[in-house]
Structures are given as structure tokens and as C-alpha cells.
Amino acid sequence: INHGLLSVVTANLIFNFINENETVQAIKIAERWVTNTGDEVNIDQYEKVTFWHPASSTTTQVKLWRDYLMEHKILQPFKQAFREIYLLTEAEVNTRTYSNRMASHILKQHQYVTLAKGRNWTARLIGAWDGGDLDTAALVLPEYNLIAEYWVNALNADDAFNDTGIWNYVTTDQIRFVDTTTNELVELINVPAIPFSETLRDVDLFVGVASVGNDPTWQDSGGLPAYRDYWQSYSFGDLSEVAKNRKEILTGLIPRLKIANVTTIEDKFVVVKGKLRTYKIHIGSTNILMEPNDQYLCIVPDRSKKDTTENVYLPFEGDNGLSVILSKAFLLAADDTITDSTITSQINR
């Protein structure tokens, strides 16, 4: 932890300090190790150190750590305290060996496979050839003698494949775990909490990034006509764990922003009262509806422009969706100053 090189990587992270009598979580602040209540910890009395994972703590402890980071404006190098946690549901207990929690989504296949490989899953592109109608992505978890599997199927609609025969879209199916020592399916109730949570977090990332529901132009550009209901339901439907996490952060963050007097959180939306109209930004997809008639507003983020949220404190890096929501909120709070005709033509319609 105090290693010259590793200390840069481990700065602002929470650790478990363990001895035969107790386990204490602490973070290093100004050369002092402290708990989430600010009590100092003498780490020399502990024999073992491990990374802390929120799935191994109570909801109360996780909230205390999140509140501590927000109060002290501590930036973690990756999501730790604010990491999404996926606990076993009653439905998954009943299905026993598989989870349908991430099933029935439509993903852009190339984007999904790239994401999966980037997270150390084995996944392949499938196409319009014999045997090219399904794939099982796999993640090896050697520490637990498990392999996690995520099933996807080709979406064969309107000849939706590219010049090389690769399907543009896939639909998602079950998540399963296989015991590598017996090659048998493992009942989900017997999968340890951390690998279960991390596996579903990966898959939620695949869905959250690669779903066509996140593409503000997909419906207007044609998409797949038979699946437009999916786009609508995903774009403005129930929040995923990632989005629920975003909502918690935004709840604490918005009152500190200069747009706080015109911005609130209502159910699944960040609601912004502009000078011209009121806007509802979905916390999951970041897509926008305009009141009073829930007219869809298409805003494609311009990455060439300066990020208006760059001076806003966030407790971790890497959630692009959170930044997009804040950027849109700042933009729409001053909707009377927008000059982009592709946006103003929709607002004034």
C-alpha cells in the first residue's frame, strides 16, 4: 500500500485490514488511515490487507462510504464505493441455474463484442452462415473455479447484416455459471456474491453501452421497424443498476450545481425547467422528452466542444453517461441561448 509505484494506483481506495479479532475498512487521507466515520486506524495491528468490495458489506456501510467520499470530495481512480452491486433476486433463486435479468435486449453486435473482449470475455462475431445464429460469451473466473456464460442470438430482421455477412444486431439471453471442475451448471444461490455481482455488472455494461436504446438516432434513422417498441421501452423504461447508481449520485450532486434551482430528480428522470420548455432526461439512456407532450428531443453529444461539466466534482471516473446527463442539463437550463438549429427546430416545433 505504501509502495512508491503502487501507492499511486491505490490512492483513495478503501481496504480491509484483517486480524484474528476483527476486520476494519479504511482509506488513506493525508497520511492517515481513517474509517468512514473519520476514526483513525492503526494499520500495524493487522496481519492481512485486501481490497474492499461493496458486495461484501451491508447497505449501511456502503452508504456511509459513499457519503464520506462525497463530503470530502474524494476522487477514486475507479468505481469502488459507488460500484454497482447485483444481488441475487427471488426470480433467479427460482430459475436456479440461469438468470434472465439481462435477457431480451437488442445490442449492436460489433460494439458488444468489442466491449466483451475488453473485459476479458471470449466472444465472437456471428453472421449469416451455417452455425452463425448464436454465440456464448464466456468469462473464466479461476479463483472460483467458475466460467460465466452470456448467451446471444442473431437478430435476423430485414437482412440486417453487413457486406461481410456479420449480423448488425444480436438479442440477449441467459447468464449461467459453469463449475470448471465438473463442467456442470452451478445453481446461482451457490455462486459467491462478488463474482456473481461482477459478472452481472459486466453484462449490464454491455447492455448499457451497446443497446440500440442508447442511440438517440437509431429510431429516426430507420433502425429496425419491428423493434421500435424496444427502443422506446429501453430509452424511457425502468432503471438498471448502473442508472440507479447514477440517480443516487445525482441526488447528492444536483443541489450543489448552479442549475439547482431549475433542476430536480423525478422518478427515472432529471427534470430541467428551461426558459422555453421543460425537459426530462432519462437517467439510464440519457435520452430526452419535452413537456407538455413528451415529444422526443434528439441531441447527439458533440465531443469536439468543451465539456461544461469538467469542473464538477464526481467521486469516480469513467461513467460517460453521467457526464452526458449533466452536459445536457446545463445546455437545456439555458435553452434560450442554444444556437444549433438541429436542436432549436425541435424545441420550437
Side-chain angles (χ1 to χ4, degrees):
I1 294 174
N2 294 319
H3 186 278
L5 176 61
L6 291 180
S7 62
V8 177
V9 180
T10 59
N12 294 343
L13 292 176
I14 304 162
F15 291 87
N16 294 309
F17 293 93
I18 305 165
N19 61 26
E20 61 181 11
N21 297 317
E22 64 176 352
T23 298
V24 174
Q25 289 82 41
I27 190 170
K28 191 175 184 180
I29 303 295
E31 303 305 316
R32 296 169 57 246
W33 287 95
V34 296
T35 67
N36 52 28
T37 57
D39 297 327
E40 189 166 355
V41 175
N42 177 14
I43 64 171
D44 293 335
Q45 62 182 305
Y46 297 96
E47 302 158 358
K48 184 179 178 182
V49 181
T50 62
F51 274 117
W52 174 77
H53 193 291
S56 62
S57 286
T58 65
T59 302
T60 300
Q61 283 297 315
V62 173
K63 187 177 187 309
L64 283 171
W65 275 118
R66 291 179 177 182
D67 290 345
Y68 186 87
L69 295 185
M70 293 290 286
E71 180 183 350
H72 294 84
K73 293 189 175 182
I74 297 170
L75 173 64
Q76 295 198 292
F78 58 83
K79 280 187 180 181
Q80 186 189 27
F82 282 90
R83 202 168 192 82
E84 299 81 13
I85 304 170
Y86 300 79
L87 303 178
L88 194 67
T89 65
E90 190 66 29
E92 288 161 341
V93 172
N94 292 334
T95 55
R96 296 179 57 201
T97 58
Y98 64 90
S99 168
N100 279 328
R101 201 186 308 192
M102 305 296 175
S104 302
H105 289 283
I106 301 173
L107 309 185
K108 296 180 179 180
Q109 184 182 194
H110 287 82
Q111 192 173 22
Y112 150 67
V113 170
T114 299
L115 284 166
K117 289 181 176 179
R119 298 292 296 176
N120 295 320
W121 290 67
T122 57
R124 66 185 179 95
L125 293 168
I126 54 179
W129 53 71
D130 289 344
D133 55 347
L134 57 87
D135 181 49
T136 301
L139 176 67
V140 179
L141 302 165
E143 184 178 350
Y144 302 96
N145 293 322
L146 293 172
I147 293 177
E149 296 182 344
Y150 188 38
W151 295 10
V152 298
N153 302 288
L155 179 54
N156 182 3
D158 300 334
D159 294 328
F161 52 82
N162 65 16
D163 293 341
T164 60
I166 303 296
W167 298 113
N168 293 330
Y169 308 104
V170 292
T171 59
T172 65
D173 205 332
Q174 301 173 356
I175 299 171
R176 298 180 178 230
F177 291 85
V178 177
D179 186 330
T180 57
T181 63
T182 63
N183 205 33
E184 294 182 353
L185 288 174
V186 179
E187 292 198 13
L188 300 183
I189 199 169
N190 295 324
V191 177
I194 291 177
F196 180 84
S197 183
E198 287 298 301
T199 296
L200 267 70
R201 183 176 183 268
D202 272 1
V203 177
D204 202 3
L205 169 70
F206 306 157
V207 172
V209 174
S211 170
V212 298
N214 286 316
D215 183 350
T217 66
W218 190 76
Q219 189 177 45
D220 289 341
S221 63
L224 295 173
Y227 295 92
R228 286 179 182 170
D229 286 348
Y230 167 78
W231 183 90
Q232 184 71 24
S233 65
Y234 183 89
S235 293
F236 304 108
D238 293 338
L239 299 182
S240 66
E241 291 301 322
V242 172
K244 290 175 184 176
N245 214 27
R246 261 183 218 152
K247 182 177 180 179
E248 180 181 343
I249 295 164
L250 288 165
T251 299
L253 186 62
I254 286 175
R256 307 179 187 185
L257 303 179
K258 64 180 182 181
I259 59 172
N261 62 324
V262 295
T263 307
T264 57
I265 292 180
E266 297 179 14
D267 192 22
K268 301 172 286 190
F269 298 92
V270 172
V271 179
V272 181
K273 293 184 178 179
K275 298 291 179 60
L276 304 177
R277 298 187 75 160
T278 296
Y279 309 89
K280 300 191 298 185
I281 307 170
H282 191 266
I283 297 172
S285 67
T286 77
N287 289 332
I288 306 166
L289 297 174
M290 296 186 287
E291 293 185 351
N293 58 344
D294 279 352
Q295 175 189 333
Y296 175 62
L297 173 61
C298 179
I299 297 179
V300 180
D302 186 350
R303 291 175 173 79
S304 66
K305 291 186 177 180
K306 182 179 178 181
D307 184 2
T308 57
T309 67
E310 62 182 11
N311 294 321
V312 175
Y313 160 74
L314 297 175
F316 53 82
E317 297 177 337
D319 187 348
N320 181 63
L322 185 57
S323 298
V324 169
I325 289 170
L326 291 171
S327 294
K328 288 180 176 180
F330 276 101
L331 175 71
L332 296 171
D335 57 359
D336 58 332
T337 66
I338 297 173
T339 57
D340 187 334
S341 61
T342 64
I343 299 175
T344 57
S345 62
Q346 298 176 77
I347 293 174
N348 297 323
R349 190 175 298 167

